Amino acid sequence: MTVSAVSSATTATTTSSSSSTSSSSTLTSSDFLSLLVSELQNQDPLNATSTTDFINQLTSYANFTQQQSINSNMSSLASSFSSLVTLNSVNYIGHTVEAKTDTATLSNGSATFGYSLSSAASDVSISISDSSGNVVYTGTGTGNSGSNSFTWDGKDSSGNQLSDGGQYTISVTATDSAGNSVLNYTTVTGTVTGIDTSTSTPSLTVNGVAVSAANILGVTS
């Protein structure tokens, strides 16, 4: 009968402790010690917890506490790094940069794009789409190995001049004589007018288009 009474107490205490612990999102040192003392007080004397099990529990808690500390430090480090990136990005304001992106704003009746080829291309096709995804222009471009430039005059395929201020995206298809793609990436060149820090990764505003600071290839002026 004594064993049954102790067993019932153990069940009740364990249930109470579990409910208390589940209501909290973190396990504090006080919580852990309370659970450990409850386990000692209510263990079955005919089947006591071994020393090895206690050591394993202590080790697990120590590892858990250490992991919480690491997570906290990593969060602090990430916040500091984000602030550093933002601070460094300020230096770009007012400068003309070249960046990896495929979108530019039509200004003064034209938009200039660039694209890089890993080797000379025998065929280069270019299409320009508006912000709704509609293709407004198709044409061809140069196929030199390395950097190439393409200036669109802002006219659609029918020769109509489109209004300034719209954002347009370039798509480049470049293949060699064997039909293999040789396109590396597309670029735009423009002046940095601001910084957007609304997301976890700060971006620069280049000709009205958001560009990640990591995609800046160089400063031209």
Side-chain angles (χ1 to χ4, degrees):
M1 294 298 293
T2 302
V3 174
S4 298
V6 172
S7 178
S8 298
T10 302
T11 302
T13 303
T14 302
T15 302
S16 177
S17 298
S18 298
S19 299
S20 176
T21 302
S22 62
S23 64
S24 176
S25 59
T26 58
L27 181 66
T28 65
S29 299
S30 178
D31 293 333
F32 177 76
L33 291 176
S34 295
L35 290 171
L36 192 62
V37 170
S38 295
E39 184 176 2
L40 288 171
Q41 292 176 334
N42 298 289
Q43 64 180 323
D44 187 345
L46 300 180
N47 185 26
T49 304
S50 69
T51 303
T52 300
D53 288 339
F54 276 124
I55 293 176
N56 288 338
Q57 291 175 21
L58 290 170
T59 302
S60 297
Y61 176 70
N63 291 337
F64 171 75
T65 303
Q66 184 65 27
Q67 186 63 51
Q68 282 189 314
S69 177
I70 292 175
N71 291 341
S72 176
N73 291 337
M74 288 297 292
S75 296
S76 177
L77 181 61
S79 177
S80 298
F81 180 74
S82 179
S83 298
L84 179 60
V85 171
T86 301
L87 182 61
N88 288 337
S89 298
V90 172
N91 296 323
Y92 286 112
I93 295 179
H95 290 282
T96 301
V97 300
E98 181 183 16
K100 289 183 180 180
T101 186
D102 57 4
T103 304
T105 300
L106 187 63
S107 178
N108 297 322
S110 66
T112 299
F113 299 89
Y115 53 93
S116 174
L117 305 180
S118 58
S119 61
S122 59
D123 181 61
V124 177
S125 299
I126 293 175
S127 65
I128 304 291
S129 303
D130 61 19
S131 57
S132 298
N134 302 311
V135 176
V136 297
Y137 170 86
T138 57
T140 59
T142 57
N144 302 319
S145 178
S147 298
N148 292 263
S149 179
F150 173 77
T151 299
W152 175 48
D153 60 7
K155 296 179 180 179
D156 61 19
S157 298
S158 299
N160 301 311
Q161 182 67 50
L162 301 178
S163 302
D164 285 350
Q167 292 187 354
Y168 294 88
T169 300
I170 188 173
S171 176
V172 179
T173 301
T175 56
D176 59 18
S177 58
N180 300 311
S181 175
V182 293
L183 177 66
N184 286 329
Y185 50 79
T186 57
T187 66
V188 298
T189 299
T191 302
V192 178
T193 57
I195 300 174
D196 182 4
T197 59
S198 61
T199 60
S200 58
T201 303
S203 60
L204 307 177
T205 303
V206 182
N207 290 349
V209 177
V211 177
S212 171
N215 288 334
I216 300 297
L217 296 175
V219 179
T220 59
S221 67

